[in-house]
Amino acid sequence: MSVAPDVRILPAPPVDAALLETLRGLDLPTFGHILEDGFARGIHRIAGGETLTVGRVVTVKLVVTDSRLVHYMTSLVQPGDFVVVDNGHNTTHASVGGGVAGALAARGAVGVAVEGTVTDVVELRESGMVVLGRGLAPFTTRTQPDRPVQGGINVPVTIGGASVRAGMIAMADENGVLFAEPDMLAGLVDRVRSMMAWEPPAMARVRAGETTLAELILPPEDLAALDALASAGRTAA
């Protein structure tokens, strides 16, 4: 086996453990009310994710259908890491299956997200990690000893249109996954907490018939204008 001269294996920057713990107490969709960038579009939960998973991002960049760097990552991953695999939009060859997921989980990884497909769904569920991708496929990447290893570890990658680097934070649940810089997320904590605190009493009032969600959300001038249109039975020009 040989390694291509441009392969890079880099360290992942550390992430503040206290920030990770704080984020675990928040709500992913609430960040979606604030942020536009960082959400991996078209990347869906395949297994796990019943509760919010938060971890430090480590990355794997694959080239063609060679799985060797994914397998090598299983020896590097640290407890609390969230592995992001950029398989180059390859939805034919699954780059993560039961063996890789089990090995990552054994090292303490908390999640894996793939720009592409995954396989062995029963074993993915048994891994206990949240696993996300574009779908399932029985056809897989494989080791290719007749070719040099290509790609990189902890290099910049792209997944679902989001640019991701090692040392970012991943937040994933049944709704999807967000990748963001630690400082950005830290700066949003108080705002997200405030929004989360607002919702339960507001929805209690809606369910009790005291008000409507429109009355709680819409600016008064917008609500008045829409009420006028509704009352007149016409539509806006």
Side-chain angles (χ1 to χ4, degrees):
M1 181 182 72
S2 61
V3 177
D6 59 347
V7 170
R8 291 181 295 160
I9 299 178
L10 306 175
V15 175
D16 180 48
L19 175 59
L20 295 175
E21 187 60 30
T22 294
L23 294 171
R24 292 186 186 105
L26 302 181
D27 177 61
L28 178 57
T30 303
F31 283 92
H33 289 294
I34 303 170
L35 298 174
E36 288 287 336
D37 297 328
F39 293 96
R41 292 160 173 79
I43 305 298
H44 307 291
R45 179 184 71 103
I46 307 296
E50 291 82 4
T51 58
L52 180 63
T53 294
V54 179
R56 177 187 72 159
V57 168
V58 294
T59 70
V60 182
K61 172 65 177 176
L62 299 184
V63 176
V64 196
T65 60
D66 186 355
S67 65
R68 283 172 288 181
L69 284 182
V70 170
H71 289 90
Y72 188 65
M73 175 57 91
T74 67
S75 69
L76 299 180
V77 70
Q78 298 295 314
D81 281 349
F82 192 108
V83 181
V84 179
V85 180
D86 183 349
N87 197 16
H89 306 283
N90 182 350
T91 57
T92 301
H93 299 81
S95 56
V96 170
V100 168
L104 292 173
R107 292 277 295 187
V110 296
V112 57
V114 178
E115 176 52 272
T117 51
V118 297
T119 194
D120 298 328
V121 66
V122 172
E123 294 172 68
L124 298 182
R125 294 181 186 131
E126 291 172 348
S127 75
M129 297 189 301
V130 60
V131 180
L132 305 101
R134 291 196 178 273
L136 293 165
F139 196 33
T140 70
T141 55
R142 65 280 319 270
T143 59
Q144 298 180 350
D146 57 327
R147 297 181 179 181
V149 176
Q150 299 181 74
I153 288 178
N154 291 327
V155 298
V157 298
T158 301
I159 178 170
S163 298
V164 178
R165 67 163 188 86
M168 294 176 79
I169 291 176
M171 302 179 66
D173 65 9
E174 294 176 310
N175 300 288
V177 59
L178 168 67
F179 302 102
E181 297 289 349
D183 288 349
M184 174 186 289
L185 293 175
L188 294 175
V189 167
D190 289 344
R191 185 176 174 187
V192 170
R193 281 176 170 161
S194 177
M195 294 172 69
M196 290 174 62
W198 173 87
E199 185 170 349
M203 292 307 300
R205 292 181 61 206
V206 170
R207 287 190 292 270
E210 298 174 7
T211 186
T212 68
L213 187 60
E215 291 172 334
L216 292 173
I217 296 293
L218 297 180
E221 60 273 18
D222 291 349
L223 186 61
L226 293 170
D227 282 344
L229 287 174
S231 177
R234 58 188 176 86
T235 59

